Every structure is written in structure tokens, then in C-alpha cells.
Amino acid sequence: MASEQEPMDMEGLIRFYAEAGVDSPLSDEPVDRFAEGARPKAAPQQPRAGGQEAAAPRQSFGTGNPSVSPSPAQTPRTAAPAPARTVVPDEAQVAIAREAASTANSLEELRERLAAFDGCNLKFTAKNMCFSDGDPASDLMFIGEAPGRDEDMEGLPFVGRSGQLLNRMIAAIGLERQNVYIANTIPWRPPGNRTPTPLETELCRPFIERQIELADPKVLVALGGPAAKALTGAPEGILRLRGNWKTHTTPSGKVIPVMPTLHPAYLLRSPAQKRFAWRDFLGVKMKLRELTSAG
Ligand code: URA
């Protein structure tokens, strides 16, 4: 018969996290969960002024930001793995992100503010922030989803295999990587390259929107479905969206044409689809020509 308190299946728990894409421990110090279970229950914490919780430890395995992580006093005391938490969109953190981004007056200032923003958990698992690469004064801006492993190591967007293909696609329309501006919707690598959660996207959105506004390109290219959705709000999948001009409206109301196209990582897996991306890039070339000759 099972004892009253089953020992925690640590191996199973770690396997569960690994399969969910959580591959990085977030705490500098190991946490003894067995000892925690034996400790008497702590008094509930007083919330901080402004509705923020006390500084959370960097050990959340959730998908939100540190302010929605349970504090040690709130950590479940039973031996069983914690049930999945409902991540409540943290409106306060989104508001902080909006304020920080909207008041940045230059791309450099925006980069500093993004680096100082602690509201998104991804910052704490990533090695580096990938803000941008290329020429911020370019007429053409590419936006991907989120950095992968190589980007995380180098702190630059699109430097891995996808980036090499992107460079060749850019060259195919007569440009070079250093002539265009490149960024991501999310500037930090999600653990295990998992898809960013809607909350993470909302927390990072004010920064990429301000980045677009400050760079002020004539044409945007959304690389892949998540970037296309984040920039245009279009609900369709990328296979339906690609090749059709959409628009992005900046926070100050400027409307910029967006070409949604297939992500280079997808093209590496499905090379037969490259012909569609080629058509999309030719459309971008023609649009740039049209807009720059119009002045
Ligand atoms: N995929 C992306 O969306 N962005 C990168 O920077 C790299 C791969």
C-alpha cells in the first residue's frame, strides 16, 4: 500500500519539464523541495504597493513573468508536482512595457530600456538579448519570431542556419544583410525554442512596435506566421497569408506595408516552398522600387 506521503518523483518531474521545452534551471542555488514540504506554513505575504508581488525568485517554470511566479511562501507544500497554473495576463507589466517603450526617443534608448525590463521571464533563461542587426536607416525591415540557439549565443537575430538562408534571400533581390534592418518580435530565446506564449508576446509587443516606429522603414517583411500575426493581427495561417500585402499601424498611426512570407526555418525543412518565398521577395523588391521612386 502507498504511504500517506508519496516521495516526489523527481526524475518524472524533470522529464515532464524537459518534454515541455523547459531545459534551463532558473535559480543559481538548488532548491530542496523535500525540506520545503516539512517546513511549517508561512504567514501569507503582504502585497506590495502598486499591486506587484514581492520580488519573485528566478525559478518559475511558468510562461509569464516573474511577478506571476509563486513566492517560496506560496509554493505548494505537498509532494505532488504543482498543477498547471493559470497564467493571468499581467496588465501592470504590460503597462510598464508600454510606458518604457513609448518614451524611448532613439533605438539606442529603446535597447537600453528593453535590457532593463524585467517583466518577461524569457529574459532570465536567455543568454543574450537579440535586439537587432543591420542598418536601422534601411527602407526594409525584416521581423522574425524569436531567437534560436545560435542567436542566443551571439546576441544577434538570424545568425544561424535560418539566418544564412535569409542572407541568400536578401541577396537574391540585390541587397545585402548590412543594407537591411533585422529584428524579432521577441528579443529573448524561449527555452528549448518553444513557441512564445501570448503573454510573452504581449509583454514584448510595445518594444517591437516602438522599434519599428523609430526605425521607420518603408516596407516590413514578416518572417513566418507568428511575426505576421503580431504585426498585422491577421488571424489566417501563414500559408494563406503569404504573398498578400497587409499593413502594420504604428502606435502613432503610421501605416506601413507588410509582406508576410515563409520563415527561413520552414524553407529549410520544406525546400520546395522556396519558390513561394521567392515570389514574395520579388513583390518586396517591386514595392520598394515603387515607394522609393515615389519619394
Ligand atoms: N528564427 C527567428 O524567428 N528569429 C531568429 O533570430 C532566428 C530564427
Side-chain angles (χ1 to χ4, degrees):
M1 217 173 98
S3 64
E4 238 171 63
Q5 242 199 343
E6 293 276 346
M8 189 190 285
D9 174 10
M10 289 306 287
E11 195 188 326
L13 182 60
I14 290 166
R15 195 176 309 117
F16 167 79
Y17 283 137
E19 282 165 7
V22 181
D23 59 4
S24 315
L26 303 188
S27 203
D28 293 337
E29 298 299 326
V31 179
D32 185 347
R33 300 284 175 201
F34 296 104
E36 269 186 3
R39 239 180 267 144
K41 205 173 176 132
Q45 290 198 335
Q46 290 298 317
R48 278 191 181 172
Q52 301 284 335
E53 286 182 16
R58 291 181 181 185
Q59 60 188 30
S60 163
F61 290 102
T63 53
N65 58 60
S67 69
V68 296
S69 309
S71 68
Q74 296 165 314
T75 308
R77 314 237 154 246
T78 59
R85 280 180 297 121
T86 315
V87 176
V88 180
D90 191 336
E91 283 306 322
Q93 286 293 356
V94 176
I96 291 169
R98 278 204 202 108
E99 172 66 17
S102 66
T103 51
N105 291 315
S106 66
L107 287 167
E108 206 33 62
E109 199 178 334
L110 186 69
R111 179 200 285 268
E112 282 163 18
R113 288 181 182 208
L114 182 58
F117 178 62
D118 282 347
C120 181
N121 250 6
L122 296 177
K123 173 177 178 177
F124 302 110
T125 44
K127 288 193 173 57
N128 285 299
M129 181 178 92
C130 300
F131 184 71
S132 68
D133 198 19
D135 178 7
S138 175
D139 289 335
L140 181 57
M141 180 169 181
F142 289 87
I143 301 184
E145 181 183 359
R149 188 177 156 276
D150 295 324
E151 289 75 21
D152 187 37
M153 307 274 276
E154 288 200 34
L156 291 170
F158 285 101
V159 290
R161 282 186 70 223
S162 305
Q164 284 157 21
L165 176 55
L166 178 63
N167 293 350
R168 293 199 294 276
M169 292 160 82
I170 292 169
I173 55 167
L175 293 170
E176 286 184 44
R177 183 184 171 96
Q178 54 275 28
N179 305 134
V180 304
Y181 191 47
I182 306 174
N184 276 311
T185 314
I186 308 273
W188 296 287
R189 180 194 183 205
N193 293 349
R194 66 162 169 74
T195 302
T197 65
L199 175 58
E200 287 157 359
T201 305
E202 283 317 300
L203 287 163
C204 297
R205 179 191 293 282
F207 293 98
I208 186 64
E209 288 188 345
R210 185 68 179 145
Q211 195 170 355
I212 295 168
E213 191 162 57
L214 289 167
D216 196 22
K218 287 194 163 60
V219 173
L220 284 164
V221 177
L223 298 166
K229 188 167 185 194
L231 294 182
T232 70
E236 300 98 320
I238 191 65
L239 294 177
R240 202 172 267 271
L241 265 185
R242 62 138 290 274
N244 297 298
W245 285 104
K246 298 282 169 194
T247 56
H248 170 74
T249 305
T250 67
S252 62
K254 184 166 181 190
V255 177
I256 303 176
V258 181
M259 172 57 80
T261 192
L262 303 170
H263 194 286
Y266 171 75
L267 297 175
L268 287 170
R269 292 192 302 272
S270 312
Q273 306 289 316
K274 282 184 187 170
R275 64 188 193 279
F276 296 117
W278 169 239
R279 271 185 227 164
D280 302 344
F281 270 60
L282 280 183
V284 169
K285 185 179 179 174
M286 277 152 60
K287 177 71 90 183
L288 274 175
R289 198 174 284 165
E290 176 192 318
L291 293 178
T292 44
S293 65

